[in-house]
Amino acid sequence: MQRDYYTRFILIRHGQTGWNKEERFRGRVDVDLDETGFKQAGLVADHIADWGISAVYSSPLKRALNTASRIAGRLGGDVVTLDGINDMDFGDWQGLLISEVRERYAEQFDQWRYNPDRLAVPGGESLEDVRVRAVAIVDDLATNHEGETIAVVTHRVVCKVLLCHMLGLNNSHFWKIAQDSTAVNVFEIFEMAGTGERQATVTLMNDTCHLGN
């Protein structure tokens, strides 16, 4: 298969936060990494240090930015923040425990669990909203980094909808894709020779081998 160019994306979920452990909806609340999360960020930075990464991009939230900063620091570079890969806006659910959302928003929570593609979170976004803005960022980065490998550090929801998009799946498959703390995913976006048509190939998903036990 002849290609005119490709861009290789290393898509990474941020490290652990205290709210991850508590099972609390984070969204746009600027929660930082906890002690374990900072260790995870260092481990993933070491793991991908020799992967030929030329640029590091991140969500502006501290949990992603501090993960990305460990990666960029290991490479001797800087981090560029992009609003388009910010976490999902969970609106009225932000800061609430899963158990609290289940109790206060029973109908919407059931939809989130069983038909997530049909839900717009009260006061917040839908998965499609997230997907549209995140895919637009990836398209721009693919154009600006032809022939390069870049790292993109973001959030679980963003990673999941982007992987659905790259695999040709709609958002109803959201829960079929796992994304653990500092999960590493790899996909390539390439243009078929002479066609101008872009395609994607996913080569790695939810890799956490750098965390050991």
Side-chain angles (χ1 to χ4, degrees):
M1 181 172 11
Q2 189 176 356
R3 306 177 180 183
D4 281 344
Y5 74 86
Y6 77 95
T7 306
R8 186 178 185 226
F9 288 80
I10 315 300
L11 178 68
I12 302 161
R13 186 192 175 192
H14 63 75
Q16 178 180 287
T17 75
W19 281 21
N20 291 117
K21 293 178 66 177
E22 295 173 7
E23 296 190 325
R24 191 179 295 274
F25 282 92
R26 298 162 298 280
R28 300 295 177 83
V29 180
D30 203 6
V31 184
D32 205 349
L33 302 175
D34 62 14
E35 182 180 356
T36 297
F38 277 107
K39 290 178 181 178
Q40 292 172 336
L43 290 169
V44 74
D46 290 342
H47 179 58
I48 64 173
D50 61 353
W51 287 19
I53 295 168
S54 61
V56 180
Y57 293 91
S58 174
S59 156
L61 296 180
K62 286 185 289 189
R63 56 191 182 271
L65 183 55
N66 281 329
T67 303
S69 294
R70 293 297 189 278
I71 296 168
R74 185 70 171 76
L75 300 173
D78 298 316
V79 179
V80 177
T81 59
L82 299 170
D83 287 336
I85 52 172
N86 205 336
D87 202 357
M88 181 172 177
D89 186 346
F90 276 102
D92 297 346
W93 294 4
Q94 288 178 161
L96 298 180
L97 295 168
I98 287 177
S99 57
E100 293 173 325
V101 173
R102 183 185 293 114
E103 180 180 350
R104 299 181 195 180
Y105 301 89
E107 183 177 347
Q108 291 96 332
F109 184 77
D110 281 348
Q111 197 168 30
W112 172 244
R113 290 299 301 157
Y114 301 111
N115 301 107
D117 55 314
R118 300 179 186 177
L119 174 70
V121 176
E125 290 185 294
S126 67
L127 291 182
E128 188 62 22
D129 293 331
V130 178
R131 182 165 173 158
V132 167
R133 59 177 167 81
V135 169
I137 290 292
V138 167
D139 286 344
D140 287 344
L141 293 176
T143 298
N144 294 333
H145 291 280
E146 293 182 11
E148 299 178 31
T149 296
I150 62 174
V152 176
V153 183
T154 181
H155 306 270
R156 185 179 70 151
V157 171
V158 180
C159 289
K160 286 160 74 79
V161 297
L162 277 175
L163 289 167
C164 281
H165 179 78
M166 300 306 156
L167 291 167
L169 303 173
N170 63 38
N171 293 330
S172 67
H173 297 272
F174 179 80
W175 291 115
K176 296 179 181 178
I177 294 177
Q179 285 294 286
D180 297 316
S181 296
T182 62
V184 176
N185 311 275
V186 180
F187 60 87
E188 294 179 356
I189 293 185
F190 58 92
E191 185 173 299
M192 298 296 296
T195 67
E197 179 185 351
R198 282 181 174 175
Q199 296 190 25
T201 300
V202 177
T203 60
L204 185 67
M205 288 179 61
N206 199 38
D207 178 20
T208 57
C209 66
H210 51 280
L211 300 182
N213 292 326

